[in-house]
Amino acid sequence: MKKILFLILLLFVSYSENLSACTVFIAGKNTTVDGSILFGKTEDDGSLSQLDYLWQIPRKQFKKGSFKTLISGLKIPQVAETYAYLVDECPQTHFSNMIINEWGVAFGSNGCRSKENIDDLKARNEILDGGIGFDLRFTLAERAKTAKEAVLIAVDLINKYGYNSSGRSLNIVDQNEAWQLQMVAGKHFVARKVQDDEVVVIANTYSIRTVDLSDTDNFICSPDLIDYAIERGWYNPKEGKKFDFALAYAPTSAHTSSSNTHRQWMLAYLLNKNFNVSLEEAEKGMMPVSVIPDRKLAVQDFTDILRNHYEGLPLDKSENHLISPHYTLQTICRYTTHRTTVVQQRSDLPAEIGTVCWRALGEPCNSIFVPWYLGINKIPEAYQRSSVINADFDQENFNDYHFNIPNWKIQQIDLASAAKAFWLLGYLADNDYQNHNQKLKNIFRPMEKKLYQQQDQIEKEALKLYQKDKDAACNFLTNYTQKWALKVYDEARKQISEFSKQ
């Protein structure tokens, strides 16, 4: 344990810089092997001791005339009943919380800086009473049965109160379709429907380019989106170029940052080896919103891509993994990655079975993706680790707990927490990446392969039970998920013990 404490202290001293580098790609249903929509995401927040807790928030009823108070102080009318949802919480963060509600509508986002100044917007009353930000996805999860309905609710709230963060792409995916809502501080936004034959790719800058205001089936936009850009001097139609949302609203430093362009380009290249935009062109901000993949995609394709560090390309600075690739360039998988998910959406199954979140804690290349079904009714304590009793842990006290969790609780080495165990395992593996990563691959990848192979049979059994007794099906899925979640957690702790002896 003394050796572990020393290594953790060294890590904080050596890598105190906070870097955020969330990466997302969403595959339309015609690009996948089984007709599912796949939503892949890394969660990278800079802090080297992030926690991840899973919570189930139940439905709640409210009296007529009730209000919901947001963390900004804004009060909005409450609905009579809110939907239940599963929240993947990262304490003390504003935007790192992934949510899937009881209807299978999943929410996850990328930070995207805009050219707007929030103080100026407040002075012009375009952000009212603090506006809306952190609470947006929670509010949508409580009120929307579909991704498009969530977009419509979101734009109504933004039009009324204004968005209070610089900018963000909120990715919203259900069992039938996916949307990307790219918001600018204040009251400007564009939402684009992900097409069935494409995979959209995004790092941490706006990715929507061409906007068709007349195509209301595929775009939902601020009516003055283009006129406002002209007024601000961000777009000049006299130059003869089509309006480009990303170019107009994103600062050049974000639009052409190598951190963003390299990850976007790598996603596209891994999806299609004949991707026709060169790396040099990508670095100039010429990345398209999406790519057509060169093959049908499975969950395993997504998990492989999310583990990438530019292997085989000049961008790989790890010297064939002689040093850990996590501490080189801003790779897709890196030391700030504390959670990675692939949400698999199937419309031919009930949401409890057809919506499954493949979830890896820590660096995904040193970890394992375990399926968490939406229909589960219990979460192992190791994946929660809180002083709050789960039965009483709902939206009424969630915000207080989320932002007021003590720093010592986040920073402590707590191997009774699965999140902490996988985080520490990744760091110890990085000390001898070439050998330790190979050992972890030899342990975890066969387990993961077995999970892929079992999936069809498990879901057939669950569906058979569901048709007779929904609760029995949910119990079955709960037992299956818990068994594997605890099995890989125990293996992580075992390997921590082995690595710390070396």
Side-chain angles (χ1 to χ4, degrees):
M1 182 58 72
K2 288 183 178 179
K3 181 174 182 180
I4 292 177
L5 287 168
F6 173 75
L7 292 173
I8 297 301
L9 178 61
L10 179 62
L11 178 63
F12 278 106
V13 172
S14 302
Y15 299 99
S16 59
E17 182 182 17
N18 285 344
L19 296 172
S20 296
C22 299
T23 306
V24 161
F25 56 132
I26 304 170
K29 62 180 66 174
N30 290 346
T31 70
T32 61
V33 295
D34 59 355
S36 62
I37 298 174
L38 296 177
F39 172 19
K41 186 179 193 311
T42 64
E43 203 67 65
D44 298 75
D45 295 287
S47 174
L48 304 182
S49 57
Q50 292 289 10
L51 291 177
D52 287 279
Y53 292 146
L54 275 175
W55 300 105
Q56 291 173 305
I57 307 298
R59 281 194 174 205
K60 296 284 291 185
Q61 289 77 37
F62 297 90
K63 294 180 180 178
K64 186 177 180 179
S66 296
F67 285 85
K68 176 177 180 175
T69 302
L70 311 187
I71 62 166
S72 64
L74 173 68
K75 292 186 176 182
I76 63 174
Q78 183 59 279
V79 293
E81 183 176 45
T82 55
Y83 301 136
Y85 57 88
L86 180 74
V87 55
D88 208 330
E89 179 213 11
C90 182
Q92 294 191 355
T93 62
H94 278 76
F95 299 106
S96 302
N97 310 291
M98 188 169 188
I99 302 173
I100 309 176
N101 76 6
E102 64 180 275
W103 304 102
V105 187
F107 303 83
S109 71
N110 302 67
C112 303
R113 285 192 297 119
S114 73
K115 293 176 180 176
E116 289 285 28
N117 182 289
I118 291 177
D119 289 335
D120 291 343
L121 293 168
K122 289 180 178 178
R124 301 201 304 265
N125 291 322
E126 291 191 35
I127 297 179
L128 298 178
D129 299 326
I132 189 166
F134 166 79
D135 304 86
L136 180 60
R137 72 190 67 186
F138 291 89
T139 304
L140 302 181
E142 292 170 348
R143 303 180 182 197
K145 290 186 177 181
T146 68
K148 186 170 184 179
E149 184 182 13
V151 172
L152 294 174
I153 295 170
V155 301
D156 181 59
L157 291 169
I158 293 169
N159 281 329
K160 287 180 181 177
Y161 307 112
Y163 190 66
N164 64 17
S165 182
S166 178
R168 186 154 296 271
S169 177
L170 182 57
N171 311 289
I172 311 173
V173 185
D174 66 25
Q175 290 189 308
N176 295 291
E177 63 183 26
W179 286 78
Q180 289 185 295
L181 171 59
Q182 301 198 348
M183 303 168 286
V184 182
K187 298 183 177 181
H188 291 92
F189 54 84
V190 55
R192 178 183 182 275
K193 182 181 176 181
V194 177
Q195 302 302 295
D196 291 341
D197 63 348
E198 69 178 1
V199 183
V200 297
V201 296
I202 183 171
N204 291 101
T205 188
Y206 296 127
S207 63
I208 297 174
R209 311 304 299 258
T210 302
V211 175
D212 186 348
L213 297 177
S214 65
D215 183 2
T216 54
D217 289 333
N218 295 296
F219 290 94
I220 299 172
C221 311
S222 302
D224 66 339
L225 185 74
I226 298 176
D227 291 340
Y228 183 77
I230 295 171
E231 178 187 328
R232 296 300 304 273
W234 300 339
Y235 170 59
N236 185 358
K238 294 180 180 179
E239 293 178 353
K241 297 179 181 178
K242 287 185 177 181
F243 174 74
D244 183 320
F245 171 74
L247 198 61
Y249 280 87
T252 301
S253 58
H255 187 62
T256 61
S257 165
S258 61
S259 166
N260 293 322
T261 59
H262 286 176
R263 284 182 290 134
Q264 287 174 306
W265 183 86
M266 194 68 208
L267 284 175
Y269 175 76
L270 291 170
L271 290 163
N272 189 330
K273 291 297 190 296
N274 297 313
F275 181 56
N276 61 4
V277 175
S278 68
L279 180 59
E280 292 73 23
E281 289 172 325
E283 290 173 334
K284 295 176 182 178
M286 298 171 65
M287 280 294 299
V289 67
S290 66
V291 60
I292 305 299
D294 58 14
R295 63 197 182 281
K296 292 288 187 179
L297 302 166
V299 170
Q300 189 171 354
D301 292 292
F302 266 49
T303 57
D304 287 346
I305 290 172
L306 290 164
R307 289 170 165 138
N308 183 265
H309 317 93
Y310 304 129
E311 282 87 353
L313 294 176
L315 288 172
D316 180 6
K317 305 299 182 183
S318 69
E319 300 179 20
N320 293 320
H321 292 172
L322 286 176
I323 61 174
S324 171
H326 298 133
Y327 301 102
T328 56
L329 297 175
Q330 199 89 317
T331 52
I332 295 171
C333 171
R334 61 183 276 104
Y335 75 91
T336 54
T337 308
H338 57 90
R339 183 206 323 139
T340 307
T341 51
V342 178
V343 180
Q344 184 181 18
Q345 300 274 32
R346 279 80 50 82
S347 59
D348 59 340
L349 290 167
E352 291 85 353
I353 304 169
T355 297
V356 54
C357 182
W358 295 82
R359 184 175 184 262
L361 291 170
E363 302 156 345
C365 67
N366 287 320
S367 185
I368 177 173
F369 285 86
V370 172
W372 294 79
Y373 283 88
L374 184 59
I376 61 173
N377 52 40
K378 187 177 181 181
I379 297 167
E381 183 183 357
Y383 287 84
Q384 295 183 320
R385 295 295 297 163
S386 169
S387 58
V388 179
I389 300 173
N390 192 31
D392 299 326
F393 189 65
D394 56 33
Q395 191 58 51
E396 290 184 355
N397 58 30
F398 178 86
N399 287 357
D400 287 341
Y401 172 76
H402 181 79
F403 288 108
N404 296 321
I405 181 172
N407 283 331
W408 66 263
K409 188 172 181 63
I410 292 181
Q411 295 170 1
Q412 70 178 340
I413 301 171
D414 179 10
L415 296 187
S417 161
K420 280 293 185 181
F422 276 100
W423 171 78
L424 180 56
L425 178 65
Y427 175 65
L428 293 174
D430 281 343
N431 286 310
D432 184 4
Y433 185 83
Q434 193 173 59
N435 292 316
H436 288 170
N437 173 255
Q438 187 58 54
K439 182 181 181 183
L440 293 176
K441 284 169 66 175
N442 291 341
I443 294 169
F444 286 138
R445 300 303 166 83
M447 290 184 182
E448 199 171 281
K449 183 178 180 180
K450 188 173 183 179
L451 285 164
Y452 296 140
Q453 292 172 338
Q454 290 179 341
Q455 183 179 10
D456 185 58
Q457 185 58 43
I458 291 297
E459 291 173 356
K460 283 181 179 178
E461 181 63 27
L463 183 60
K464 188 186 301 182
L465 289 169
Y466 189 92
Q467 291 167 344
K468 298 178 181 178
D469 184 341
K470 178 179 174 180
D471 290 341
C474 291
N475 288 336
F476 172 76
L477 292 173
T478 300
N479 292 336
Y480 178 73
T481 293
Q482 282 201 119
K483 179 188 77 173
W484 277 99
L486 293 173
K487 182 176 182 178
V488 302
Y489 163 55
D490 288 342
E491 187 61 47
R493 290 197 298 179
K494 177 182 176 182
Q495 294 309 312
I496 287 171
S497 178
E498 292 295 321
F499 289 167
S500 62
K501 294 174 184 176
Q502 300 174 17

